[in-house]
Amino acid sequence: MAEIESPRKPHAIMISFHLQGHIIPFVNLAIKLASKGFTITFVHNEFIHHQISKSQYNSTQVDIFSEARNSGLDINYTTISDGFPLEFDRGGNLNQFAESFLIDFPTRVDEFVGKILHSQSSSSYNYFLIADTLCVWPAKIAKKYNIVNVSFWTEPALVFSLYYHLDLLRKNGHVPANGLEENITYIPGIQSISTKDFMSYLQGSESTIIHTIMFAAFEEVKNADFILCNTVQELEAEAVSALNENQPFYAVGPVFPTDFSESTVARSLLPESDSTEWLKTKSPGSVLYVSFGSLAKIDEHVILEVAEGLLLSEVNFLWVLRPGTVSCDDDEILTVGYKNRIKDQGLIVPWCKQNLVLSNPAIGGFLTHCGWNSILESIWCGVPMICYPLFTDQITNRKLVVDDWKIGINLCGGISVSREEVAEKIKILMGGGKSDGLKEEMKSVRNMMQNALDGSSERNFDQFLKDLKAKILSKTKD
Ligand code: UDX
């Protein structure tokens, strides 16, 4: 039967989630959808707009999407307030900020969406909502306005599945894990996982406002019409198909521009250093890239042991040491004395264009905190990893990289990190011999990801678009 098209154009309202590792794939999704002919209204919160535009353009009076629009994509860009003045220290007052995100922000989004739906141009469009799975408001708002609700999950299906089956884990006494180490085999689509590999939010019995948000979000997502996941079906086949039994769940990853060239849309919250000239002086595969991501705090002791371990290994390194990695005023955590000892062996920068770094031929390994975006980018570039997960999903992501796919090794067995062990693991990863197996596995996982791009992920995305259009049409008849 021929598809019945609505005369109104589908128009996605995409309200971003305020964390770096969520903003990057969300912007990529907006571009992907717009390149399929959709109209998008992309919304950052004002604070995020200021951070990105100040760091990338040195001006806050910019439309971050103007270049994308000039290239023919139909993307409007606007902002919404998170309820706090720009100068408010969100990180330093996390509880207050998170509480407002949970309680007040949904009302702001409601008003915002209501205004769009009642605007003059609204009769030309069929609106729908796309929000990060961590948002606690989409289902209520979508229901109120009778619009389709798409949830975007930026982490692996394995992690989604554990949160999704929280009730089952609680019923069996495995959440909170409370230091217990037991293998779980009853979650649909997960053959076996040890409780020690659970995300940090399922580990302890403490209950913070962040736990409340995470758990509320996973109740909310059960009412989503569609769930898009930034993973590759072949890499998480069983988890994806088990989730699909509950709700339409599509593996559409990796959602990033494949050539990793300059992007038309700025998305970094910090200014990016360019290390290309330094990398040019290094031979292929000789540099270890080190980054602990955009969010986590690390013990000063760990940073100092990593610093010494890097020197001991005698391997070249490019280290992103983000301001605030240890505490709010840690800019000088590494002494001038240390920096002098590095000489030409290493380069330390506050932030970089990670995609460009990982795809540089000089890079031969990645010491990573196991953020999901970093893992996907590393696989895309065929760079094996040393894993040092810090919190949240990173702990569970490590299992995929080291235990399941065998494309990385652990930094240390226990909690403590010693410089000797750091040096040893770096030598294993960057040297020949023991790392050959890793490189072979990486080749096959990378192939799977590359093939998925024109294969399963593209098919799944097209199926999603078809299902979405049908759902939109059925809503308009309600
Ligand atoms: C957290 C979670 O752990 C992660 O799994 C989730 O998907 C997002 O939030 P985060 O610390 O942000 O992780 O790490 P990651 O997911 O790796 O995302 C960081 C992003 O910032 C990557 O896309 C990376 O390319 C980018 N980045 C990082 C830079 O552009 N420059 C840098 O210097 C460092």
Side-chain angles (χ1 to χ4, degrees):
M1 203 169 68
E3 250 182 87
I4 305 162
E5 290 281 341
S6 164
R8 294 176 175 218
K9 207 175 165 199
H11 186 147
I13 303 172
M14 299 184 68
I15 302 178
S16 80
F17 188 75
H18 52 266
L19 298 177
Q20 180 70 83
H22 293 252
I23 291 167
I24 292 173
F26 205 61
V27 168
N28 291 340
L29 179 66
I31 294 171
K32 190 174 170 76
L33 208 53
S35 64
K36 297 269 184 185
F38 280 67
T39 301
I40 312 283
T41 290
F42 192 98
V43 191
H44 272 317
N45 88 38
E46 272 165 20
F47 175 72
I48 293 296
H49 167 77
H50 273 248
Q51 287 283 111
I52 295 177
S53 51
K54 243 184 2 207
S55 69
Q56 304 304 311
Y57 302 99
N58 214 10
S59 155
T60 54
Q61 304 299 314
V62 285
D63 176 344
I64 292 176
F65 283 86
S66 63
E67 216 180 312
R69 203 162 35 252
N70 292 341
S71 75
L73 300 180
D74 191 2
I75 309 186
N76 311 309
Y77 173 59
T78 187
T79 60
I80 183 171
S81 167
D82 61 12
F84 293 95
L86 291 173
E87 58 283 4
F88 179 75
D89 177 7
R90 287 154 177 80
N93 297 283
L94 190 60
N95 282 348
Q96 195 185 346
F97 178 66
E99 201 174 296
S100 163
F101 179 76
L102 185 66
I103 296 162
D104 303 329
F105 192 60
T107 316
R108 290 171 184 279
V109 176
D110 184 344
E111 277 169 22
F112 178 88
V113 171
K115 264 194 204 144
I116 293 190
L117 296 182
H118 296 119
S119 66
Q120 271 187 347
S121 57
S122 67
S123 57
S124 316
Y125 297 109
N126 277 325
Y127 289 96
F128 64 102
L129 202 57
I130 307 187
D132 193 291
T133 304
L134 293 188
C135 293
V136 292
W137 41 261
K140 290 174 208 87
I141 292 175
K143 187 166 180 221
K144 173 171 174 182
Y145 294 106
N146 192 32
I147 55 177
V148 174
N149 166 17
V150 181
S151 190
F152 180 48
W153 179 240
T154 62
E155 297 169 21
L158 169 63
V159 172
F160 188 98
S161 191
L162 289 170
Y163 281 127
Y164 199 80
H165 293 101
L166 201 57
D167 286 347
L168 194 54
L169 290 166
R170 282 188 176 132
K171 203 174 97 195
N172 283 284
H174 290 119
V175 166
N178 280 333
L180 187 86
E181 251 192 73
E182 215 177 297
N183 268 341
I184 305 297
T185 53
Y186 54 77
I187 301 288
I190 303 179
Q191 278 193 6
S192 169
I193 184 165
S194 164
T195 47
K196 78 170 170 36
D197 293 322
F198 282 2
M199 299 79 82
S200 58
Y201 296 114
L202 306 189
Q203 294 283 352
S205 53
E206 83 172 323
S207 186
T208 65
I209 181 95
I210 306 297
H211 289 79
T212 309
I213 290 177
M214 302 292 295
F215 301 159
F218 270 85
E219 279 311 303
E220 191 76 7
V221 78
K222 292 186 175 148
N223 296 310
D225 294 300
F226 304 105
I227 300 158
L228 298 176
C229 181
N230 195 13
T231 194
V232 172
Q233 188 169 322
E234 287 77 0
L235 290 177
E236 296 199 86
E238 289 177 45
V240 169
S241 73
L243 286 164
N244 214 7
E245 301 273 305
N246 304 305
Q247 274 172 271
F249 188 95
Y250 308 82
V252 296
V255 184
F256 46 55
T258 52
D259 61 359
F260 277 8
S261 56
E262 292 293 306
S263 156
T264 52
V265 183
R267 54 199 91 185
S268 248
L269 300 173
L270 293 170
E272 298 151 316
S273 304
D274 186 353
S275 315
T276 320
E277 287 307 312
W278 185 81
L279 287 169
K280 263 189 204 157
T281 67
K282 304 296 175 203
S283 51
S286 72
V287 179
L288 178 77
Y289 172 59
V290 184
S291 166
F292 300 111
S294 68
L295 211 54
K297 297 251 182 260
I298 310 179
D299 279 355
E300 186 173 346
H301 167 75
V302 172
I303 294 291
L304 296 177
E305 289 305 302
V306 168
E308 290 303 329
L310 283 165
L311 280 187
L312 264 180
S313 74
E314 296 180 347
V315 165
N316 296 322
F317 63 90
L318 170 58
W319 185 359
V320 170
L321 199 50
R322 191 191 83 240
T325 299
V326 173
S327 63
C328 295
D329 49 3
D330 64 352
D331 281 0
E332 294 309 323
I333 175 85
L334 296 177
T335 59
V336 177
Y338 176 80
K339 287 179 185 161
N340 288 339
R341 281 162 60 215
I342 296 173
K343 300 203 178 76
D344 201 34
Q345 186 193 339
L347 184 67
I348 300 179
V349 297
W351 195 251
C352 70
K353 293 186 188 226
Q354 180 166 299
N355 286 350
L356 288 187
V357 168
L358 282 172
S359 53
N360 190 298
I363 299 295
F366 184 6
L367 169 49
T368 173
H369 69 310
C370 295
W372 186 240
N373 297 292
S374 292
I375 291 172
L376 293 177
E377 291 156 8
S378 206
I379 296 175
W380 184 256
C381 299
V383 176
M385 290 161 262
I386 304 178
C387 296
Y388 186 64
L390 292 156
F391 78 137
T392 184
D393 62 323
Q394 297 156 17
I395 305 189
T396 316
N397 302 346
R398 182 218 62 84
K399 173 196 185 298
L400 292 172
V401 171
V402 178
D403 304 346
D404 296 359
W405 304 333
K406 304 191 177 8
I407 54 175
I409 55 176
N410 295 323
L411 180 64
C412 51
I415 295 164
S416 71
V417 174
S418 73
R419 60 192 66 187
E420 290 78 16
E421 204 173 359
V422 171
E424 187 200 326
K425 292 297 169 66
I426 294 174
K427 282 185 193 156
I428 291 176
L429 190 85
M430 301 296 285
K434 282 189 194 165
S435 66
D436 289 349
L438 283 179
K439 287 177 190 151
E440 277 309 302
E441 293 296 336
M442 180 53 102
K443 262 191 211 153
S444 92
V445 170
R446 184 189 195 196
N447 273 343
M448 255 183 226
M449 182 183 276
Q450 290 183 334
N451 291 337
L453 214 76
D454 300 327
S456 60
S457 291
E458 186 64 9
R459 278 196 305 278
N460 291 340
F461 199 73
D462 286 343
Q463 185 60 47
F464 156 67
L465 296 182
K466 215 168 146 194
D467 297 345
L468 170 71
K469 285 178 186 165
K471 186 85 188 172
I472 290 175
L473 212 57
S474 76
K475 286 261 177 207
T476 55
K477 289 180 187 149
D478 281 353

